[in-house]
Amino acid sequence: GFYVQGEEKCIREFIFELAFGMKAGEAYSSACQTLIEREINGQADRKRIREHICDWENKHGFEFTDESFKVLENYLVIIINRILNGNILCMRDTDETLDTGFASELLGMLLSDTEAESKAFIKAESHYLNQVILGCRYIKKNYEEETDSTYAQMRILGFIYDVCQRTGISQKISYEKFHFIFVHINSAIKRAREGIHNVKNMLQKELEAAYPQIFEIVRQEAGILEELAAHEISDEELSYIAMYFIAVLEENVTSPEKIHAILVCSAGMCTAMLLQAKLKMHFNIEIVNVLSVHQYERYDLKNVDLILSTVYIEKTYLPTACITPILSESDVDILHNTIRRIKRDRKCREQSILQVQITEYINEYRG
């Protein structure tokens, strides 16, 4: 094969482009992607890297979408192999003022499995890893993310309050939903500052057609956020912010005796919130947890009646329904039938238990 010489930063950029198929208009077939992943594995233990990322997510209370998780996993496989082969980044192109604590922690977990001496290059590696993490999207993001100042925090809270007032949901929004919106907006501002514009919303056109007023209000109030970012906030970012407010608008209170379900969703936190709200409108379902596929594989399904998923997952012993993120009419029909079966089976089990108890009582009485 070929041995490539040159600056390490440039060599890595070429490998990332090859591994991720990032050129505009290009996409690899699944077979080609599998082949590339096999070739970039090298000395790195991919399974162990996945476990470290999952443990790191759980430690800090957030969870990436499966797409972002895969990008991060491949990135780490590549850099671990480069490090093990003695190919180290230099510090001269990095900004030492940036907070890279999360990235440094993850790198430390990964390098603890190797014999590499990490101290000499951890800052440079953390800087570039931090760029990847900033571009990631989330299913959950519950940790307390710092804002730049009390002023910035108050401006974001003011934006949320103004949109809630104008859309008529100020009496409906819970603290949890308010917090989710705040965390997402703070992340959107940071992405705008860093010049990261990889956020895409496949549901934007459909949702804007259904909720034009909310989209218009968010855009009108967005000047506050752009002032904090000192950059324009992209329309895709604003569309995700709008989705949070739509989720609050759609939310409805349901009656007792719920079906307990988990929702497996790879589309992101606000998409999952909106889907939860739509599910609550049509069904007496309590979503006990929202998971990415990589965390679903580690989840204890005890006390769960139903698995709802927006992506294909392996069959389980529990009833499973694959639905779309916007919950179409056909999805509603499928879920009605699935829930009827669950209730019928539950009733049969209860009747069976009662029959056993009656039989035991009769036998005891006869004895």
Side-chain angles (χ1 to χ4, degrees):
F2 293 98
Y3 180 79
V4 179
Q5 289 184 316
E7 187 179 349
E8 177 63 14
K9 180 174 177 286
C10 297
I11 292 174
R12 289 194 188 189
E13 286 175 354
F14 171 74
I15 298 173
F16 298 147
E17 188 176 277
L18 178 66
F20 303 144
M22 293 178 66
K23 283 188 176 179
E26 291 186 3
Y28 296 135
S29 67
S30 57
C32 183
Q33 190 68 48
T34 301
L35 179 62
I36 290 171
E37 286 183 10
R38 189 181 70 189
E39 290 300 316
I40 66 174
N41 277 354
Q43 302 176 61
D45 185 343
R46 183 178 286 272
K47 182 180 178 182
R48 188 67 179 145
I49 288 173
R50 286 177 62 87
E51 290 173 353
H52 276 310
I53 301 172
C54 288
D55 291 341
W56 182 64
E57 286 178 320
N58 293 334
K59 177 181 177 180
H60 292 289
F62 58 81
E63 190 172 331
F64 296 116
T65 65
D66 289 304
E67 182 181 4
S68 289
F69 185 92
K70 192 66 177 177
V71 169
L72 182 58
E73 176 191 330
N74 281 336
Y75 179 89
L76 291 169
V77 167
I78 291 168
I79 69 167
I80 292 299
N81 274 311
R82 298 298 293 174
I83 291 170
L84 292 176
N85 288 322
N87 300 296
I88 308 303
L89 284 171
C90 63
M91 281 295 297
R92 67 170 180 268
D93 297 324
T94 63
D95 182 355
E96 296 189 42
T97 65
L98 293 175
D99 181 8
T100 59
F102 269 14
S104 298
E105 180 185 45
L106 180 56
L107 272 176
M109 294 169 66
L110 294 164
L111 293 171
S112 66
D113 288 345
T114 74
E115 297 179 357
E117 293 291 334
S118 62
K119 290 183 180 179
F121 55 84
I122 197 76
K123 285 187 178 180
E125 294 289 356
S126 297
H127 171 84
Y128 288 104
L129 175 57
N130 191 57
Q131 298 299 306
V132 177
I133 294 170
L134 282 173
C136 287
R137 293 182 55 233
Y138 297 81
I139 291 290
K140 297 175 185 172
K141 199 173 183 183
N142 297 331
Y143 64 87
E144 294 292 340
E145 197 172 320
E146 293 184 0
T147 51
D148 295 333
S149 64
T150 303
Y151 172 78
Q153 184 177 1
M154 295 304 296
R155 295 287 280 172
I156 294 172
L157 294 175
F159 167 84
I160 298 171
Y161 177 79
D162 289 342
V163 174
C164 286
Q165 284 287 93
R166 292 184 63 183
T167 53
I169 60 173
S170 55
Q171 302 301 314
K172 299 179 182 179
I173 188 168
S174 65
Y175 171 79
E176 181 184 40
K177 297 293 190 297
F178 199 98
H179 177 69
F180 281 161
I181 298 172
F182 177 86
V183 170
H184 181 91
I185 291 173
N186 195 38
S187 296
I189 290 171
K190 288 186 176 181
R191 283 193 291 272
R193 283 184 191 148
E194 294 289 331
I196 299 171
H197 305 296
N198 59 353
V199 175
K200 301 295 179 187
N201 189 351
M202 303 301 292
L203 302 177
Q204 180 176 348
K205 288 184 179 179
E206 190 167 354
L207 288 171
E208 186 164 4
Y211 306 94
Q213 183 184 11
I214 290 181
F215 275 81
E216 183 60 26
I217 290 171
V218 168
R219 289 188 181 112
Q220 289 173 0
E221 299 288 344
I224 296 172
L225 309 183
E226 292 178 341
E227 176 190 319
L228 293 173
H231 287 84
E232 183 179 354
I233 305 291
S234 72
D235 208 48
E236 287 82 3
E237 287 279 17
L238 293 179
S239 72
Y240 272 112
I241 293 170
M243 285 174 67
Y244 280 97
F245 295 104
I246 293 169
V248 175
L249 186 68
E250 292 282 8
E251 194 169 35
N252 194 20
V253 179
T254 55
S255 58
E257 263 191 86
K258 297 178 175 136
I259 298 294
H260 296 89
I262 61 169
L263 175 60
V264 182
C265 178
S266 289
M269 187 161 53
C270 52
T271 303
M273 280 179 55
L274 179 57
L275 182 53
Q276 283 186 81
K278 286 181 174 289
L279 286 166
K280 289 180 71 176
M281 287 179 63
H282 293 278
F283 306 101
N284 198 9
I285 292 178
E286 179 181 349
I287 305 296
V288 296
N289 214 332
V290 180
L291 303 165
S292 57
V293 175
H294 64 271
Q295 287 288 357
Y296 160 75
E297 293 168 351
R298 296 157 53 110
Y299 192 76
D300 183 2
L301 295 175
K302 185 180 178 181
N303 300 323
V304 174
D305 302 308
L306 172 65
I307 299 171
L308 302 173
S309 179
T310 61
V311 292
Y312 173 78
I313 58 174
E314 294 292 333
K315 289 185 178 180
T316 69
Y317 62 90
L318 289 175
T320 304
C322 191
I323 57 178
T324 59
I326 58 172
L327 197 67
S328 66
E329 289 185 15
S330 61
D331 293 329
V332 172
D333 291 338
I334 290 170
L335 275 176
H336 273 303
N337 292 331
T338 303
I339 290 171
R340 274 196 291 268
R341 287 198 300 272
I342 292 171
K343 289 183 176 179
R344 184 176 64 243
D345 292 344
R346 182 186 286 175
K347 187 175 181 181
C348 289
R349 285 197 301 272
E350 290 171 353
Q351 287 177 342
S352 178
I353 292 169
L354 181 60
Q355 287 170 357
V356 169
Q357 290 173 337
I358 291 172
T359 302
E360 289 175 349
Y361 176 78
I362 291 172
N363 290 337
E364 184 181 345
Y365 178 76
R366 284 175 177 171

